[in-house]
Amino acid sequence: MSKRRLAVTLLLLLPLLVLGAPARALAEESATTPATARNAVADARARGEIRWGNDSQGGAPYVFQDPMDPNHLIGFEVDFAAALANKLGVRARPVQGPWDGLLELLARGDFDVVINGIEVAEEKKRVADLSRPYYVAAMRLTVRKGDVGAPRTLVALRGRKVGTLPGSLAARLSEREGAEVKTYDGGQNDIYDDLRIGRTDAVLLDDPITLYYGAIDPALEVVDGSFGEASYAVGVPKGDTETLAAVNGAIDALAKDGTLAALYARWGLWNEPTEKLLGGPKPPSTAVAEAHDAWRAAVGKPLPFWSRVTERYPATIGLFARGALLSLVVSVLAMAVAVTLGMALALARVYGPKPLQWLAVGYIELFRGTPLLVQLTMVYFGLPELGLTLSPFVAGVIALGLNYAAAEAENYRAGLGSVPAGQMDAARTLGLSKLAALRHVALPQAIRVALPPTTNDFIALLKDSSLISVVTLTELTKTYTSLASAMRDHLGLGLVVALFYLGLSLPFARLSRSVEERLGSKVRRPASA
């Protein structure tokens, strides 16, 4: 290889090296000690707070935004987490994560414990240790009212469409009976909505969910009797015996002093199986299910649309604004990664030596041909297996940037291909070096051609940033789904979040058109007289 070609190759690789340095620094800075190698409760006491993982999108009565004041999380497990933290001598800090991935996030070290209807099951014990149960929930079957052919026993579920939550005891029971199981990753009200409109034949879920969603719907009927029982436990890091002992001791104390009994009674969840489990005092005879009554008053009868616009939606603006800011920051930084790396890939593919061209093509096809969600999962959960643990924010930026770099590389390659080869030959004839010809002749024209698709890619990236919710970041879409689940209002809040996305994307589209026009004015020649 000639010295000139070697210099060109090194210069083309320079953006990759520059990009890699801060990424490595961020990785080192954000690395955390694996959960299994530390004492989570000791770390929590040192910080003065215990981080408990949950998914507020699941809805009532576990963890959800207050329909009357969306800026606050409420739920019986919010109260339970606060009581547990108090016994441990710390504050409780909720951390958002997808429900079916909470234990994996715990194992990664993103939480100290998980409190979110985690059922005691052997498959969960392979990922995390489970505390002694703190609540027992019966399985309840819900059908459409007046449906004479509705299944009313577990056996009758065979061949019928049954809605439930993924990875739950209800899902396993339904599958065992030969039902066509339909699981939902969104809010719990989605499950009952599908039953009401006939997309499913029945819903099998825990009693607390049934009480707050199925039982309050006049179009649905809860079948008498229990169809199984699930016990809820606190998830703690695998092998962390100190934290497990501390959590078990706190639950024992809360059961013995009547705190749990009073808490469950307030939410309307006190039942005989839980009474036997706790073995402590019963709720006082004067206990009132005030939290449950407040929920029914808030969502039992939907407000007229105009009342929601004037009374409910203004209270959500702050939450949407925070989610929008996070989406915007992640998208801008990820696009900076994509543009930098994409330009380097395009130059390598068009002007680099053969080995570099092959590497660029391989990168582009790999990242363009595999799902972004898979890539994000590998960056966030896979890299720690190699000893590299990234923070959620850094992982989201890097995964989005690496994915979109493949698309940007093709945009810039197309732009470079639109420049007539004669222009580069003429520039070299005039004495410009290859790099100078690229900088002053080819790249300005290529960027103008690539600008519109690059703008489209940024808007697409802005929407794809919703995937970062799987790594505990509450961006704009996750904010919407959590609020819609809590307030049982998908249509109105959907319009609100659509306006936010529109407000984020339109300025960039207008800026792109303005830049394109200015670049175009420099290459247009005045008409001859």
Side-chain angles (χ1 to χ4, degrees), residues 221-409:
E221 174 190 353
V222 180
V223 178
D224 291 336
S226 170
F227 296 86
E229 286 185 351
S231 298
Y232 298 160
V234 178
V236 302
K238 191 74 176 173
D240 191 344
T241 56
E242 291 84 357
T243 300
L244 182 62
V247 169
N248 282 336
I251 295 175
D252 287 339
L254 293 171
K256 290 177 182 177
D257 65 16
T259 299
L260 292 184
L263 188 159
Y264 298 144
R266 179 173 176 267
W267 287 93
L269 301 177
W270 182 252
N271 57 34
E272 185 177 344
T274 301
E275 180 182 347
K276 293 179 180 178
L277 168 74
L278 298 180
K282 297 181 181 180
S285 57
T286 56
V288 178
E290 55 181 327
H292 176 254
D293 294 342
W295 160 262
R296 295 198 63 153
V299 303
K301 185 179 180 181
L303 285 175
F305 181 73
W306 184 247
S307 296
R308 281 179 276 159
V309 170
T310 57
E311 298 175 20
R312 293 282 180 85
Y313 296 164
T316 68
I317 298 303
L319 290 172
F320 277 125
R322 286 197 291 272
L325 179 61
L326 178 60
S327 294
L328 181 61
V329 171
V330 168
S331 299
V332 168
L333 292 177
M335 198 64 188
V337 173
V339 167
T340 304
L341 183 55
M343 180 61 74
L345 289 167
L347 293 173
R349 185 170 181 181
V350 176
Y351 298 108
K354 284 294 182 182
L356 204 57
Q357 292 180 22
W358 295 336
L359 285 175
V361 171
Y363 179 99
I364 292 168
E365 296 305 325
L366 174 65
F367 280 85
R368 193 171 59 170
T370 54
L372 174 56
L373 181 58
V374 172
Q375 297 166 18
L376 177 59
T377 302
M378 291 178 65
V379 168
Y380 195 68
F381 292 101
L383 290 183
E385 298 175 11
L386 303 177
L388 180 62
T389 302
L390 303 177
S391 72
F393 182 85
V394 173
V397 169
I398 289 178
L400 287 167
L402 294 178
N403 178 272
Y404 272 81
E408 297 316 296

Side-chain angles (χ1 to χ4, degrees), residues 412-455:
Y412 302 141
R413 184 173 72 89
L416 291 169
S418 70
V419 180
Q423 293 192 16
M424 288 292 291
D425 293 338
R428 298 299 302 276
T429 301
L430 292 173
L432 293 178
S433 67
K434 190 172 185 178
L435 287 178
L438 280 174
R439 178 183 174 187
H440 297 291
V441 177
L443 283 181
Q445 299 178 71
I447 289 173
R448 179 175 177 272
V449 172
L451 191 58
T454 297
T455 303

Side-chain angles (χ1 to χ4, degrees), residues 4-22:
R4 177 172 292 184
R5 175 164 288 191
L6 178 61
V8 170
T9 302
L10 291 175
L11 284 171
L12 291 174
L13 285 173
L14 184 59
L16 296 175
L17 299 174
V18 172
L19 186 64

Side-chain angles (χ1 to χ4, degrees), residues 123-157:
E123 63 268 22
K124 290 181 172 58
K125 292 180 181 179
R126 289 193 288 268
V127 183
D129 288 335
L130 301 179
S131 72
R132 61 152 292 183
Y134 60 85
Y135 186 76
V136 179
M139 296 291 107
R140 302 291 186 187
L141 189 64
T142 306
V143 297
R144 284 184 295 277
K145 186 171 291 185
D147 185 355
V148 294
R152 296 178 179 273
T153 63
L154 287 180
V155 175
L157 295 179

